[in-house]
Amino acid sequence: MTSADPFGQQAVRRAYDTVAEDYAARLPDTRAEAPLDLAMVDAFAAAVTADGDPSVLDAGCGAGRMSRYLADRGCRVQGVDLSPGMVAMARRDHPDLAFAVGSLTALPFPDATFAGVLLWYSLIHTPPAGQATIVAEVARVLRPGGHLLVGFQHGTGVQDLAPTYSRFGHQVELERHLHLADDVAARLVTVGLREVARLVRRAAGTEKEDQAFLLARTP
Ligand SMILES: C[S@@+](CC[C@H](N)C(=O)[O-])C[C@H]1O[C@@H](n2cnc3c(N)ncnc32)[C@H](O)[C@@H]1O
């Protein structure tokens, strides 16, 4: 992290460029998600499409598996991700969908472009200081009455993911920030987004943390 890169995005980009091919191979779809997690995504997709404008930004789309899931539910999806390597995997595996390289802290889209924004485990590498910028960007690109769904590991503190990736043969610098649903909801309020629903479920299977999902809406 430097003054030119206050939120440590260069390391995040390098890390995901390093693991992109492996990530796309190991997580090609939503089989890792619990039915409850997908119920929140289904509710989000239904809310967006019910309003008659299915445009969704998959913000921090990675290799595009959630973009595909949303597209299969009637959304017109645009993905964006910091990592050119991840975007290359998304374009390779989902050539019919649109993907761009860009940062959540400066989304490369005009104001009020999307009826929905999905932040699916993409806020997790940004320290709390950077999150105000990201939620302001999300609010900026959402249309009035637009929907947001955020998914993240629930808790507090920072985890070093280098040992995890090292077990898969990758040397990366990557940290994960845990968040409390109350804190994320409060941050959304500061940019005019109001909580609609939340789900916090206990860790399941190999997970070590509880998982949280927050649906919110612009006025
Ligand atoms: C854990 S992966 C999740 C990817 C995808 N949402 C999924 O569920 O498969 C986190 C993704 O967020 C992206 N990301 C992290 N910080 C970002 C930022 N500031 N701007 C854009 N993308 C970011 C990473 O490059 C990575 O692809």
Side-chain angles (χ1 to χ4, degrees):
M1 223 176 292
T2 65
S3 56
D5 179 26
F7 311 138
Q9 295 186 88
Q10 286 175 17
V12 174
R13 181 186 295 116
R14 270 197 306 273
Y16 277 100
D17 280 349
T18 302
V19 305
E21 195 149 2
D22 208 7
Y23 191 106
R26 287 177 193 275
L27 264 187
D29 52 30
T30 57
R31 74 188 66 168
E33 268 71 21
L36 281 170
D37 312 354
L38 293 178
M40 290 299 274
V41 185
D42 292 347
F44 167 74
V48 171
T49 53
D51 289 346
D53 170 7
S55 60
V56 170
L57 178 65
D58 184 2
C61 61
R65 66 196 183 97
M66 300 308 293
S67 303
R68 167 58 56 206
Y69 188 86
L70 290 170
D72 287 349
R73 278 148 193 81
C75 298
R76 188 175 67 248
V77 187
Q78 167 73 59
V80 68
D81 200 280
L82 192 59
S83 156
M86 293 295 263
V87 169
M89 293 299 108
R91 287 179 176 144
R92 181 196 69 182
D93 294 345
H94 308 286
D96 54 321
L97 304 182
F99 297 101
V101 175
S103 171
L104 301 177
T105 59
L107 288 169
F109 307 102
D111 297 358
T113 302
F114 300 101
V117 172
L118 177 70
L119 284 170
W120 198 251
Y121 294 87
S122 51
L123 260 187
I124 60 176
H125 301 301
T126 305
Q131 289 180 5
T133 309
I134 292 178
V135 296
E137 277 296 89
V138 166
R140 180 183 68 73
V141 301
L142 270 175
R143 294 189 180 143
H147 306 269
L148 169 68
L149 177 62
V150 195
F152 49 97
Q153 289 90 1
H154 196 252
T156 55
V158 184
Q159 298 170 333
D160 181 5
L161 297 185
T164 306
Y165 276 106
S166 155
R167 285 198 284 282
F168 294 104
H170 301 296
Q171 304 311 312
V172 297
E173 274 175 51
L174 188 63
E175 288 183 336
R176 175 159 75 198
H177 298 260
L178 304 188
H179 304 285
L180 295 173
D182 280 345
D183 294 344
V184 175
R187 208 166 279 124
L188 295 178
V189 168
T190 65
V191 294
L193 278 151
R194 277 212 306 272
E195 178 176 346
V196 173
R198 75 171 72 178
L199 167 70
V200 181
R201 68 159 176 83
R202 303 284 82 86
T206 56
E207 293 169 351
K208 295 194 173 57
E209 297 82 24
D210 294 347
Q211 310 291 314
F213 308 93
L214 237 163
L215 257 177
R217 197 162 192 198
T218 56

